[in-house]
Amino acid sequence: MKFVSVLVVWTALVGWVQDDYQSKMAVQGASIRGSSTMTTRHMNATWSTTLLYQSAEDDDDDMTPVLRSRMAPAAPLSSSSSSRYSSSPRSLSGEPVPLPNTDTFSSLSCNNDIAQQDCDSWTQTFGSKAVHTNRIVIECGRCMDLDFEGPELTLQQGIDVRGRLVFRNAGPAFTLYTSMLAVQGDLILASRKPVDGKPAIHIVMTGENDQYFEPIEENAMNCGGVGQCKAGKKAIVVAGGKIQAQGLPPDAPTWLKLHDVKRVLDQGQMSDITDGQDPNVLIVDKAVDGKWAAGAEVLVTSHTTKWDGHQVRTIESISQHSDPNYVRIKLDSPIPRPTTLLDDPRFAVEVALLSRNIVLEGGPDSNARHGGHLWFFHTPFVDQFLEGVEVRNFGQQGTLGRYPIHFHFCGDNAGSVVAKNTVRNSHQRAIVVHGTNNVRVEDNVVFDTKGHAIILEDGIETGNEFFRNLGAFTRAVEVVIPNNGLNGDETDAAPATFWMSNPSNSWIGNVAAGSESSGFWFELRLRGAMASVFAGSDPRSLPLRKFEGNVAHSNGDRGLRTYPIGYMPDNVQTLNGFLSYRNRNKGLFFHLTENVAVVNSIFADNAVAIDLDRAEEIMLTNVTIIGQTDMYQDLVEIGGAPSLCKFQDELVGMEIHTFVHRAESNGAVVRNVVFKGFEQGMCARVAHIKFDDETRTGMFDWFTTFEKVNIMDRDNLFDFCPAEDVGVHSYLIDMDGSLRENGSGPGSLISVPLMSFVDSSACQVHNEGCYAYCGVCFRTMRFDVNPSGTANIVLKVCKSTGSPCTYTFGFTDPYLDPTDADNHRLYNAHLPQGSYKVAFVDGIGGAEVWPSFVIQTFEDKLCPESFDESDIKLSIPSVQASQCNDLIKNGDFKALNMEGWLERSGGLAPVPNKGIGGSTAISDAPAESSRDTIVQFVDTRCLKLMRGRYYEIRAWVKLVNKSGAPYSSCNLDSKGCPEVRIVNSAMTRPKVALFVPALRDHGFQLLHGVFLVDQDTAESSFTEFHVERNRADFSMQIDDVSMQLMPALSFDDPECQENLVENGHFESGDAAFWSESSAVMSMRPGFSLVLSKGYGRVFVKSSCMRIDKRYEVIVKFRMYRNGKSVVCDPITSIIQCPTARLVPFKNGANMAGLRVADALETLPGATSSSLYGVFLATTDLIQADRLFLQLENFNDAYEYYIDSVSIQFNTKGCSDNMLLNSDMGMGVSPFWSAAGSGFIEWKDEGYGGSSSGALISRERALPGHGARYNTAAFLDGRCLAAGSTWEITAQIKVFDVVTGLPMPCNLNQLTALPFVDACPSVRITIQDTEGTEIYNDFVRAYTNNSWNLNGWNEFKASLELPQWNGQVARGGVAIQVCNFPIIMGVVVDDFVVRMV
């Protein structure tokens, strides 16, 4: 079982942005300091630790038992430290991120006072024996002076420094052999003598078995709490401790530029060098005097394109030069004559001191590629100081985490310095900063190392400074570290001296002087155990802290590269003062890179100086590009240096691409650049600027400008031929005429075929370079069109006068699937200033056609004298309305092809015999992504023509798993099920069709919806019809897809006199036009819809309505619970009834709805219940984009069977009976309600024995209470005109509410009180829209002279309204049966209000 470590961080991804550049620069003068000053701020850090451990090949296996534990938190942050370190780490972009669980080692508190203690004697403590077979432990709080007198001391089981161990050997060389050196306290190494190749302190790491040490005190629970931490073999491990090492004299330089060379003759005389002679004396700055000494080894870097052309010699003597500013270094043997400062200050080689007074060396191993390794392990906030140490034969090739100098997850190490060391003969890498921030790596020499040399390992490291380091002879590894799933594929087989995975660090004054592959490599990527923590950050987009004054020379391939994933910062970042010369292939290689400026830089003696490969928005300013210097030509001809033409027999200043990576980008801006050294005949192919032959779409869009460019050799200016050979026509803009051979003013370098619209007299043609220089400005317009069915469509461009014309075929991207909807067919037109007509035609000379959509893009106007957008007229052929009836083409696939159909995120193929009824369908491919989409582009002309119209969308869809079995569990609101969306150029993507239940059983399910062509869609440059799968690991088949235009209806159309609800009776056997929210919807035989939970809504033809007209809503329903029929009660609501609401949508927003129907009483013998209501059409309802009738107020415990849903125009006029349901045949609720108190109910026998029933009002508390008609919902108050006369009639009985028996009443009781035996009266109240009461009175008028005790009594009254100005308010009419004794109950039927 292999576990993954989540070891790491740290308060220290913590405050890298808080330390400014100047404060970090100050650490370069650091000296040895006591540990007590470091412990406080480290002890204040709070850690919470949980570990998962991993296998031995993993980087983080280095301290790994096999248990997990939790470490108790230490003391909280003090006030003194909290200001420096933030309480939570920050992401690579500066945003806070959660602290991951981590083991961290802190300084031991038992060493707090150790700096004030005297040191004990080694020999007095451990004796004078030279070999110790047991582990030596320097206890915490104790200082030990290693004063051993013998030349060698062997510690077979290693040493654990928990206190302090001091090496103060100033006499004969001393060698310590040990299998492990663990530093939990302090290790002090010092020797300041001149460097003579005889180390004063020599530590040799021995053994081939993994070693362990015991963490103590506050660190005791680390490494799983089992008391053992694995250090590996031949390990120097610093865990909570500190190394302070100084192995050079003060101010000793580690490397410098070579001033001059001489030759000492046999007679001891000094001689200048003549042709063919090799020097053996180096003239260098006097700074080395008294610091470097005879016996030391020095490195002279390569002065040619040979990456291994360095020289290593031993200093024989150092003497004064005639110029007191320099000294002579006599070597033990001559070297080939190198380039010096006197030859050319830019190209002088480096001379580096390889020897040091302190040597760490890996001893012999049965694996010849394994040596020792030194690492600082999970030790934040402790200032390490490693200076003047020679690390030799370290690194364990092929094993992750085993490097010569390695900061491993140390978080913030702002005070740590690695300076003036030598790493040589390394088996794997040199200086590795891993999960550590703010370390200063300065003036080191790394030589003869394998794999990347100085590196940031995981891409999470920030704020580190690499200053004036020198690397040479960086070789490829033979065994690459394997990918363990966290580190990714390692690239050490193509090594870089400086390997940079995160740009938020600084590289200043470094030299890469001989890598087998690259000098500097930006390979910006996150990896390792922390990649998931920083998943939201991308190193490619981060700013570059500083890259200044760096040098790359004599590298086997490239001086600097950004391959393969490039560098794309959000804002322009600068490489300043870069010098790249004599690299075998390319001086600078930008790949997938943008927003980078190269300024104040020099490129010389490279086969290709600058290669911009899929790089855009690149700025070259104040740059000198030299093809071949005179000096290098002399080296080739006289000194035997390799020819620059040896690599690929060409010499190129700038090699540039023909296409950009992002369509909105431009190529490069080249300003104040000097080209020279490109004379004819140097190589077979010579060019200052060359287009390469790589193409993607076959189109040119790498738009580049040149300004203030000085080309000193007029031969071999430009080479457009490689691009022309692959059919790409290119051009470059000369902003100021500096590229002209004669004349002045702006112009363009163009491929010869682009001269169609240019007066040939304005051009100078160079057939040898396949280009012409024309004194006109070019600009490009681009067209994106539907890739499906357009292969034969041609872009025709003509001068506005009609001729000449050009014809251009479009291109799709061959690297993308031909069915990919994003693989638009592209057309470019590169044109000089002028006016043009543009059209798409069916083949050359064919008729005009329209490729569904056209996205027209005008590239930036780089040259002011270019055409304007208004100079281009695009012809759009007209479209007939009949062509827009169905916007989906080939929706039934009867042509047995996929024309018109495309996809995203998966393949697309026809599936014969798998469609409905054995027809052909099409299918995408199963994929892990759930976002696969089948796409068709819709004709934009139709959408513009049909603006404001509705389209009905139908698509039959089947999901099939990898075994071929269908998935049929989707319903209207199922997550992870297909849906249809309409996507336009405004990137609105409304969901327009969802699954609806259907009774057809052919394995397919119906997606259905209605889409309004709104303004955004009508004006969109493109519109896509999407069928989105939304489920991973399935394929999606579709058939019978349509987008049919719905009739444009108005109030007078016959269809508008019928049901305004689409599919209210479900005759088609499906739930088309229905949708829901959180409901469960299904169909049942007999064509009724079953709903439960949430709500369901259906599309309403709102265009049929007319403002202020009344409409009647009827919905039939039945309720079931556990399969048994249930009846709701609208009066008591003991069982809740559903209701209905009209919901308008405008601009995608849900507007305020209107409740339009309530449940009627379910009368005895009825087979279903009903919702009923009447509403007045308003502007909001009619002008809505979409209008729905929404059925709601569902109880989750019930199922609702819905049928016969209708909205119809209410034809009743003012001359008709004003009251609906006068005969009570629809029950009493919601037409009548109790007024004030009491109960109302329906009686099954009405007037004349009618079965339609009657109204009963009883058990009132006051005589004035009774039964009130719901006039707000069911009476049109607008009919009540001023001065009009109305007749009110009704049939009435009264009864004793106690006995239920009929009782008499007094017809003559007309006064209001006391109502002792008064017969019921009718009270009328009317208010206008201003709230003014127009009428308020009650009438009691019966046609009989005496009360019919056992029968019905006819009520008949006349009402004359007064004159007034205004209108009756909605709900401003009250009609109430009241004013009779409370002992009476009343029965009412045939209640009529009619205008006389």
Side-chain angles (χ1 to χ4, degrees):
M1 182 79 180
K2 181 174 181 178
F3 296 92
V4 176
S5 172
V6 190
L7 301 175
V8 148
V9 226
W10 91 86
T11 352
L13 260 171
V14 167
W16 61 265
V17 291
Q18 301 171 346
D19 297 327
D20 64 15
Y21 177 75
Q22 290 77 11
S23 67
K24 294 195 288 290
M25 289 289 286
V27 303
Q28 61 182 313
S31 59
I32 295 180
R33 293 162 293 215
S35 64
S36 61
T37 60
M38 300 302 122
T39 56
T40 302
R41 71 182 157 97
H42 176 71
M43 290 292 294
N44 286 332
T46 302
W47 309 105
S48 178
T49 304
T50 300
L51 294 180
L52 294 174
Y53 294 100
Q54 62 195 22
S55 64
E57 53 274 28
D58 289 349
D59 190 3
D60 295 318
D61 170 55
D62 308 310
M63 293 280 191
T64 54
V66 288
L67 300 175
R68 72 173 61 182
S69 71
R70 182 166 295 278
M71 173 180 166
L77 285 166
S78 68
S79 59
S80 61
S81 62
S82 61
S83 62
R84 179 175 180 187
Y85 304 107
S86 112
S87 59
S88 66
R90 294 195 169 268
S91 72
L92 301 182
S93 59
E95 295 301 319
V97 297
L99 276 170
N101 296 321
T102 175
D103 254 352
T104 56
F105 288 81
S106 60
S107 298
L108 299 174
S109 57
C110 47
N111 285 326
N112 283 353
D113 300 324
I114 201 166
Q116 287 74 46
Q117 294 184 13
D118 294 331
C119 293
D120 297 332
S121 164
W122 175 281
T123 54
Q124 291 180 7
T125 304
F126 298 110
S128 58
K129 63 181 180 178
V131 177
H132 291 260
T133 59
N134 296 323
R135 171 74 54 87
I136 297 296
V137 177
I138 309 299
E139 295 297 344
C140 189
R142 185 177 188 183
C143 179
M144 185 69 63
D145 192 343
L146 209 167
D147 56 358
F148 185 75
E149 296 294 333
E152 295 182 355
L153 177 63
T154 300
L155 308 178
Q156 293 181 352
Q157 297 301 316
I159 180 170
D160 186 354
V161 180
R162 300 174 179 176
R164 172 176 285 186
L165 178 63
V166 181
F167 285 72
R168 299 188 190 278
N169 193 300
F174 168 75
T175 300
L176 172 66
Y177 295 91
T178 180
S179 59
M180 181 191 72
L181 173 52
V183 182
Q184 300 189 72
D186 294 350
L187 176 65
I188 298 178
L189 309 166
S191 176
R192 311 301 296 272
K193 71 182 181 69
V195 180
D196 57 6
K198 299 174 183 177
I201 301 171
H202 188 189
I203 300 175
V204 180
M205 305 310 298
T206 63
E208 299 193 19
N209 296 321
D210 288 334
Q211 297 295 314
Y212 296 81
F213 68 93
E214 178 187 355
I216 65 168
E217 301 292 336
E218 44 267 75
N219 300 323
M221 295 305 294
N222 287 352
C223 306
V226 297
Q228 292 290 304
C229 292
K230 180 180 174 182
K233 68 176 179 179
K234 294 184 174 67
I236 302 174
V237 56
V238 181
K242 173 171 52 177
I243 290 182
Q244 304 249 334
Q246 290 179 314
L248 285 175
D251 302 322
T254 59
W255 65 270
L256 31 67
K257 289 286 188 176
L258 178 60
H259 179 71
D260 196 8
V261 292
K262 298 290 183 181
R263 180 176 176 82
V264 176
L265 304 178
D266 294 339
Q267 299 81 6
Q269 298 173 337
M270 194 73 65
S271 169
D272 290 334
I273 303 300
T274 60
D275 291 345
Q277 292 183 321
D278 292 333
N280 59 0
V281 174
L282 310 178
I283 310 299
V284 299
D285 191 278
K286 69 177 182 180
V288 306
D289 194 22
K291 312 295 194 300
W292 300 9
E297 284 189 303
V298 293
L299 163 72
V300 181
T301 59
S302 175
H303 62 290
T304 72
T305 59
K306 294 181 62 176
W307 70 275
D308 55 356
H310 61 275
Q311 305 293 323
V312 175
R313 297 292 187 269
T314 301
I315 298 176
E316 196 171 274
S317 64
I318 299 180
S319 60
Q320 291 299 316
H321 189 265
S322 57
D323 185 334
N325 292 313
Y326 300 97
V327 296
R328 301 186 183 111
I329 298 178
K330 185 175 184 297
L331 306 178
D332 61 344
S333 61
I335 61 172
R337 190 197 189 287
T339 306
T340 69
L341 288 169
L342 291 182
D343 297 327
D344 191 322
R346 299 171 297 179
F347 309 131
V349 300
E350 297 77 22
V351 179
L353 179 69
L354 293 179
S355 302
R356 300 290 187 271
N357 291 329
I358 300 171
V359 174
L360 307 179
E361 184 173 4
D365 196 285
S366 59
N367 185 337
R369 298 188 180 99
H370 279 199
H373 71 107
L374 161 64
W375 61 336
F376 302 92
F377 187 82
H378 290 230
T379 302
F381 310 129
V382 178
D383 294 350
Q384 311 294 339
F385 190 80
L386 192 69
E387 180 186 274
V389 176
E390 181 181 347
V391 182
R392 193 161 60 198
N393 195 37
F394 265 41
Q396 296 169 11
Q397 195 171 135
T399 302
L400 191 63
R402 301 295 190 258
Y403 316 126
I405 300 175
H406 179 196
F407 280 83
H408 181 73
F409 286 123
C410 291
D412 189 355
N413 261 220
S416 292
V417 179
V418 178
K420 298 189 175 184
N421 305 290
T422 296
V423 179
R424 59 189 300 194
N425 309 111
S426 166
H427 300 292
Q428 183 167 264
R429 301 179 176 171
I431 301 172
V432 176
V433 178
H434 182 199
T436 303
N437 302 332
N438 305 321
V439 173
R440 185 168 174 86
V441 179
E442 176 182 2
D443 266 325
N444 299 284
V445 177
V446 296
F447 168 71
D448 190 11
T449 60
K450 292 187 177 181
H452 304 311
I454 299 177
I455 83 167
L456 300 167
E457 190 163 15
D458 274 1
I460 60 175
E461 301 81 13
T462 61
N464 299 288
E465 292 183 337
F466 300 91
F467 181 76
R468 207 178 174 277
N469 300 284
L470 169 67
F473 201 35
T474 307
R475 298 194 281 166
V477 296
E478 296 87 3
V479 179
V480 176
I481 298 169
N483 183 347
N484 66 11
L486 291 176
N487 60 308
D489 293 332
E490 304 287 355
T491 53
D492 296 75
T497 302
F498 295 89
W499 189 79
M500 302 165 286
S501 60
N502 187 313
S504 294
N505 298 272
S506 298
W507 293 267
I508 304 168
N510 301 284
V511 178
S515 167
E516 189 171 355
S517 183
S518 299
F520 296 84
W521 187 357
F522 284 97
E523 191 176 8
L524 305 175
R525 55 185 173 127
L526 286 176
R527 61 182 200 160
M530 289 304 299
S532 60
V533 175
F534 296 100
S537 296
D538 183 353
R540 293 179 300 171
S541 66
L542 299 180
L544 177 63
R545 282 208 168 184
K546 186 168 284 191
F547 190 93
E548 186 172 293
N550 296 293
V551 179
H553 73 85
S554 307
N555 293 292
D557 190 8
R558 295 165 170 87
L560 182 149
R561 67 170 172 167
T562 60
Y563 187 84
I565 59 177
Y567 181 32
M568 293 175 280
D570 296 331
N571 300 300
V572 175
Q573 304 299 308
T574 301
L575 308 184
N576 188 11
F578 183 49
L579 173 60
S580 183
Y581 67 96
R582 297 177 191 171
N583 300 290
R584 181 170 174 262
N585 186 5
K586 297 172 180 178
L588 174 68
F589 178 56
F590 277 164
H591 177 79
L592 287 181
T593 295
E594 63 180 76
N595 282 337
V596 177
V598 180
V599 303
N600 307 319
S601 298
I602 298 174
F603 300 87
D605 298 330
N606 305 287
V608 177
I610 298 173
D611 186 356
L612 302 180
D613 178 73
R614 305 190 194 184
E616 50 227 48
E617 302 295 349
I618 303 299
M619 285 133 278
L620 302 179
T621 306
N622 298 331
V623 172
T624 298
I625 298 174
I626 308 172
Q628 179 172 277
T629 60
D630 294 339
M631 181 188 306
Y632 197 76
Q633 186 172 354
D634 291 342
L635 287 173
V636 173
E637 295 175 355
I638 300 172
S643 168
L644 297 180
C645 307
K646 188 174 181 180
F647 183 68
Q648 50 191 8
D649 204 14
E650 69 175 3
L651 188 64
V652 175
M654 284 179 60
E655 182 173 328
I656 55 182
H657 230 41
T658 60
F659 63 92
V660 294
H661 185 63
R662 297 198 307 173
E664 63 270 24
S665 300
N666 289 317
V669 174
V670 182
R671 183 179 294 118
N672 291 330
V673 174
V674 175
F675 290 87
K676 60 182 178 179
F678 293 93
E679 288 86 359
Q680 182 74 30
M682 287 182 168
C683 297
R685 194 166 198 160
V686 179
H688 294 74
I689 300 169
K690 168 197 162 188
F691 279 107
D692 66 21
D693 60 358
E694 186 176 354
T695 180
R696 184 163 184 143
T697 62
M699 292 174 44
F700 172 77
D701 56 4
W702 203 80
F703 308 113
T704 295
T705 61
F706 290 78
E707 186 175 3
K708 297 181 181 178
V709 174
N710 184 1
I711 296 181
M712 302 182 68
D713 309 305
R714 304 306 296 184
D715 292 333
N716 313 302
L717 293 178
F718 306 100
D719 188 357
F720 283 46
C721 295
E724 283 299 310
D725 290 343
V726 293
V728 179
H729 305 323
S730 316
Y731 69 89
L732 301 171
I733 299 294
D734 181 8
M735 298 291 289
D736 59 355
S738 59
L739 299 181
R740 279 180 180 267
E741 297 179 42
N742 50 64
S744 62
S748 302
L749 293 108
I750 66 173
S751 295
V752 173
L754 295 182
M755 293 177 61
S756 299
F757 298 109
V758 183
D759 184 347
S760 60
S761 65
C763 300
Q764 295 169 310
V765 179
H766 295 265
N767 288 319
E768 77 285 354
C770 305
Y771 74 95
Y773 188 100
C774 299
V776 295
C777 287
F778 266 68
R779 190 183 181 191
T780 296
M781 57 181 172
R782 162 179 161 162
F783 300 92
D784 291 47
V785 308
N786 187 352
S788 179
T790 56
N792 294 323
I793 291 180
V794 176
L795 175 67
K796 179 182 178 181
V797 180
C798 301
K799 292 285 284 186
S800 58
T801 56
S803 64
C805 296
T806 61
Y807 296 87
T808 305
F809 282 92
F811 297 88
T812 56
D813 193 333
Y815 291 89
L816 298 178
D817 191 302
T819 64
D820 189 334
D822 292 323
N823 191 7
H824 294 175
R825 192 170 304 281
L826 306 176
Y827 300 81
N828 264 5
H830 311 300
L831 303 172
Q833 189 174 27
S835 57
Y836 302 89
K837 296 178 180 178
V838 179
F840 289 92
V841 296
D842 186 8
I844 296 175
E848 285 193 23
V849 293
W850 187 249
S852 300
F853 72 92
V854 174
I855 302 173
Q856 185 175 7
T857 305
F858 292 89
E859 301 297 347
D860 291 342
K861 194 173 184 179
L862 301 178
C863 185
E865 298 177 5
S866 305
F867 67 80
D868 294 319
E869 285 85 342
S870 59
D871 294 327
I872 308 300
K873 305 301 180 186
L874 174 63
S875 177
I876 303 176
S878 61
V879 64
Q880 301 300 315
S882 59
Q883 296 174 263
C884 301
N885 287 334
D886 189 350
L887 298 186
I888 299 301
K889 310 305 178 187
N890 190 28
D892 57 7
F893 313 109
K894 289 182 178 178
L896 305 181
N897 62 40
M898 301 187 300
E899 184 168 326
W901 292 97
L902 300 160
E903 53 76 30
R904 281 197 177 91
S905 303
L908 192 65
V911 280
N913 306 318
K914 298 293 185 180
I916 296 173
S919 63
T920 297
I922 61 171
S923 174
D924 66 359
E928 293 181 2
S929 168
S930 64
R931 301 307 302 168
D932 282 14
T933 302
I934 298 177
V935 178
Q936 183 166 136
F937 288 104
V938 178
D939 192 325
T940 54
R941 299 172 303 167
C942 286
L943 295 171
K944 185 177 293 290
L945 182 66
M946 297 301 174
R947 176 177 173 178
R949 297 287 300 277
Y950 292 99
Y951 278 86
E952 179 187 358
I953 295 170
R954 285 178 173 266
W956 291 91
V957 179
K958 181 195 296 185
L959 290 178
V960 179
N961 65 22
K962 292 181 179 179
S963 300
Y967 178 84
S968 56
S969 298
C970 284
N971 60 47
L972 203 62
D973 196 43
S974 291
K975 304 302 181 184
C977 285
E979 61 195 19
V980 172
R981 291 181 181 267
I982 301 295
V983 180
N984 59 36
S985 57
M987 297 317 293
T988 59
R989 50 188 319 270
K991 189 187 300 183
V992 297
L994 297 171
F995 271 130
V996 296
L999 295 177
R1000 292 171 67 181
D1001 185 13
H1002 39 51
F1004 284 77
Q1005 292 181 268
L1006 177 62
L1007 286 173
H1008 187 277
V1010 174
F1011 176 68
L1012 172 70
V1013 182
D1014 58 14
Q1015 179 175 341
D1016 283 347
T1017 304
E1019 296 177 356
S1020 177
S1021 58
F1022 71 88
T1023 296
E1024 301 175 0
F1025 178 93
H1026 283 199
V1027 184
E1028 299 183 357
R1029 192 176 71 200
N1030 293 334
R1031 184 170 290 271
D1033 297 320
F1034 279 74
S1035 62
M1036 177 173 65
Q1037 298 175 7
I1038 66 172
D1039 198 3
D1040 284 359
V1041 185
S1042 63
M1043 188 171 177
Q1044 291 279 352
L1045 183 67
M1046 297 175 67
L1049 300 173
S1050 63
F1051 179 78
D1052 294 324
D1053 289 326
E1055 187 175 335
C1056 291
Q1057 308 311 309
E1058 301 173 358
N1059 190 359
L1060 302 190
V1061 173
E1062 293 280 8
N1063 195 24
H1065 298 283
F1066 312 105
E1067 295 95 337
S1068 61
D1070 57 48
F1073 297 100
W1074 286 82
S1075 60
E1076 53 73 42
S1077 177
S1078 303
V1080 178
M1081 183 185 290
S1082 61
M1083 290 294 297
R1084 66 182 292 273
F1087 303 145
S1088 62
L1089 182 68
V1090 181
L1091 284 168
S1092 61
K1093 305 179 181 179
Y1095 60 76
R1097 57 170 62 140
V1098 62
F1099 183 78
V1100 176
K1101 293 176 280 192
S1102 59
S1103 62
C1104 282
M1105 295 181 183
R1106 180 171 288 178
I1107 293 175
D1108 292 339
K1109 295 295 184 182
R1110 286 162 56 84
Y1111 293 86
E1112 184 178 66
V1113 180
I1114 300 175
V1115 179
K1116 299 291 186 181
F1117 71 95
R1118 281 180 283 173
M1119 294 174 59
Y1120 292 89
R1121 182 171 187 175
N1122 299 325
K1124 295 182 179 180
S1125 178
V1126 179
V1127 176
C1128 69
D1129 186 345
I1131 298 177
T1132 65
S1133 295
I1134 295 175
I1135 297 180
Q1136 177 178 290
C1137 292
T1139 59
R1141 177 185 302 273
L1142 281 174
V1143 180
F1145 282 78
K1146 187 74 172 179
N1147 298 323
N1150 185 340
M1151 302 169 65
L1154 174 68
R1155 184 161 165 173
V1156 294
D1158 293 280
L1160 303 178
E1161 296 171 84
T1162 303
L1163 304 180
T1167 58
S1168 64
S1169 303
S1170 297
L1171 301 181
Y1172 182 83
V1174 176
F1175 68 91
L1176 193 68
T1178 64
T1179 301
D1180 284 347
L1181 297 180
I1182 294 174
Q1183 295 183 356
D1185 292 340
R1186 288 176 297 161
L1187 181 64
F1188 294 94
L1189 178 66
Q1190 181 167 296
L1191 309 184
E1192 56 190 21
N1193 205 28
F1194 292 154
N1195 188 311
D1196 291 354
Y1198 301 96
E1199 284 186 328
Y1200 299 80
Y1201 286 26
I1202 309 296
D1203 199 357
S1204 299
V1205 182
S1206 67
I1207 297 177
Q1208 290 186 290
F1209 175 55
N1210 188 303
T1211 58
K1212 280 183 177 293
C1214 293
S1215 60
D1216 298 316
N1217 180 10
M1218 289 277 290
L1219 302 191
L1220 298 176
N1221 192 32
S1222 291
D1223 63 356
M1224 314 300 170
M1226 299 167 68
V1228 297
S1229 177
F1231 301 95
W1232 293 87
S1233 60
S1237 63
F1239 298 94
I1240 63 167
E1241 59 187 354
W1242 181 79
K1243 175 178 173 59
D1244 59 359
E1245 182 180 350
Y1247 172 67
S1250 168
S1251 62
S1252 62
L1255 163 71
I1256 295 178
S1257 173
R1258 58 184 176 84
E1259 299 180 30
R1260 299 161 301 119
L1262 294 172
H1265 295 173
R1268 178 185 293 122
Y1269 188 77
N1270 187 356
T1271 57
F1274 301 112
L1275 184 143
D1276 188 354
R1278 296 171 302 171
C1279 291
L1280 299 174
S1284 61
T1285 302
W1286 296 82
E1287 182 181 74
I1288 304 171
T1289 62
Q1291 297 294 331
I1292 296 176
K1293 292 182 182 181
V1294 295
F1295 63 92
D1296 189 315
V1297 296
V1298 177
T1299 65
L1301 297 175
M1303 65 180 297
C1305 64
N1306 186 353
L1307 292 172
N1308 299 315
Q1309 174 86 32
L1310 300 178
T1311 58
L1313 292 173
F1315 301 129
V1316 175
D1317 58 353
C1319 294
S1321 66
V1322 175
R1323 183 168 186 166
I1324 308 292
T1325 304
I1326 304 175
Q1327 286 186 340
D1328 68 9
T1329 54
E1330 301 297 323
T1332 302
E1333 189 170 84
I1334 300 166
Y1335 186 90
N1336 186 355
D1337 201 357
F1338 66 89
V1339 291
R1340 183 181 287 111
Y1342 291 87
T1343 58
N1344 297 339
N1345 292 323
S1346 61
W1347 186 258
N1348 183 355
L1349 181 65
N1350 295 309
W1352 293 92
N1353 297 273
E1354 182 181 26
F1355 181 96
K1356 188 173 183 179
S1358 179
L1359 172 67
E1360 183 175 347
L1361 298 181
Q1363 298 290 334
W1364 83 93
N1365 294 322
Q1367 289 185 332
V1368 174
R1370 175 179 169 83
V1373 178
I1375 300 176
Q1376 183 176 329
V1377 179
C1378 57
N1379 294 343
F1380 54 96
I1382 60 175
I1383 63 170
M1384 283 186 186
V1386 64
V1387 183
V1388 182
D1389 196 7
D1390 290 353
F1391 201 113
V1392 175
V1393 178
R1394 181 180 286 110
M1395 181 186 295
V1396 176

